[in-house]
Amino acid sequence: MTAPKADGDAADAGNAANAVNAVTPTPAVKAQGTRVVEASFVAGAVEAKGLLAPTFAEVAFAGRSNVGKSSLLNTMVERRGLVRTSKTPGCTRQLNVFDVRCSDGLRVQFVDLPGYGWARRSKAERTQWQSMIEGYLLHRASLRAVAVLVDVRRGIEEEEDQLLEFLASPRPVSESKPLEVVLVATKIDKLGAAARKPALDAVRKQASTRVAGRAIGFSAVTGDGREELWSRIRAAVL
Ligand code: GDP
């Protein structure tokens, strides 16, 4: 199977049913940094209550549809097609949990939250998404970090802002340290080198009242940002 091409603007707008578009960096790019020796799908659930009891620290990934979340997850775990994306409206939307083991023994669970894009969805769907996600984010004791993905070219829009505001509020679970929120600006390769820092600064500034720490520029094509994201994850879970 050949690797799907990274998107152009036309592909961004496209909505091929059940398309598996996720990209991953070439082997030469990914053979550095954190090595993942095992990554497997554990379970999916349509509501947080349906998840198995927590066993390892969890890191959740949130972002609007097409932001590059599947590609980022595959890049993080060095697998080409572990996380698939379906862009069919109305298809089952669930929390998907992946077990990830690194060569240095770090074990963590990645939780892929269903993509949002509320403007295009019905009120019923929005309500369902919100209660599923908020229930998980609020009550899951094993949750240590949430990566909020933003397309670097779009920046933070209303939904991202609402999510960041929600994440900034206290959780009714006992935790030794506060939930780490990591802002990730995706598809950084789409910008020329000179435009990257200003774009990242702009994203950070937009979120500055809600998130501490800089935004990570990430590319599933070049692997940029992968190690920085792993290091933020390590700091949060260890
Ligand atoms: P998801 O819906 O958030 O899971 O997004 P996908 O991972 O399926 O990516 C959506 C589209 O963006 C696909 O066409 C990918 O090929 C493309 N894409 C994802 N990540 C990157 C990236 O880092 N760089 C570029 N150029 N394209 C990307």
Side-chain angles (χ1 to χ4, degrees), residues 190-208:
K190 292 210 170 241
L191 299 181
R196 291 182 191 180
K197 187 170 181 302
L200 285 177
D201 288 346
V203 169
R204 182 189 176 173
K205 202 167 161 207
Q206 284 180 309
S208 61

Side-chain angles (χ1 to χ4, degrees), residues 35-198:
R35 304 313 316 264
V36 171
V37 289
E38 207 177 298
S40 54
F41 174 72
V42 182
V46 291
E47 55 177 349
K49 274 185 265 172
L51 289 173
L52 297 170
T55 34
F56 296 101
E58 287 171 14
V59 179
F61 296 80
R64 63 176 65 242
S65 303
N66 223 32
V67 72
K69 185 155 54 69
S70 309
S71 303
L72 175 140
L73 284 163
N74 285 329
T75 300
M76 290 301 284
V77 301
E78 302 179 284
R79 300 292 181 277
R80 196 166 281 277
L82 184 65
V83 185
R84 295 179 168 241
T85 172
S86 166
K87 296 185 172 60
T88 312
C91 68
T92 313
R93 311 181 64 69
Q94 58 176 21
L95 304 153
N96 286 320
V97 183
F98 299 88
D99 199 11
V100 180
R101 197 160 56 83
C102 299
S103 59
D104 62 1
L106 176 71
R107 189 103 182 243
V108 64
Q109 289 196 324
F110 281 180
V111 181
D112 181 12
L113 304 179
Y116 49 85
W118 295 351
R120 281 203 222 137
R121 304 203 182 276
S122 70
K123 194 159 181 265
E125 271 185 302
R126 271 182 272 166
T127 309
Q128 193 213 358
W129 187 92
Q130 211 165 343
S131 70
M132 179 201 296
I133 302 295
E134 292 187 357
Y136 171 80
L137 294 174
L138 213 50
H139 300 292
R140 189 73 167 172
S142 44
L143 182 65
R144 296 278 180 276
V146 182
V148 176
L149 277 52
V150 184
D151 187 318
V152 72
R153 299 161 303 168
R154 293 179 69 142
I156 290 179
E157 296 171 88
E158 196 186 339
E159 288 100 331
E160 286 83 11
D161 191 55
Q162 283 171 4
L163 179 60
L164 292 171
E165 182 184 18
F166 180 82
L167 290 170
S169 50
R171 305 202 308 146
V173 288
S174 64
E175 20 183 33
S176 48
K177 48 183 175 176
L179 189 66
E180 170 85 358
V181 178
V182 185
L183 199 55
V184 182
T186 60
K187 309 188 189 181
I188 192 84
D189 59 280
K190 292 210 170 241
L191 299 181
R196 291 182 191 180
K197 187 170 181 302

Side-chain angles (χ1 to χ4, degrees), residues 24-36:
T24 44
T26 60
V29 167
K30 68 182 186 183
Q32 311 156 359
T34 300
R35 304 313 316 264
V36 171

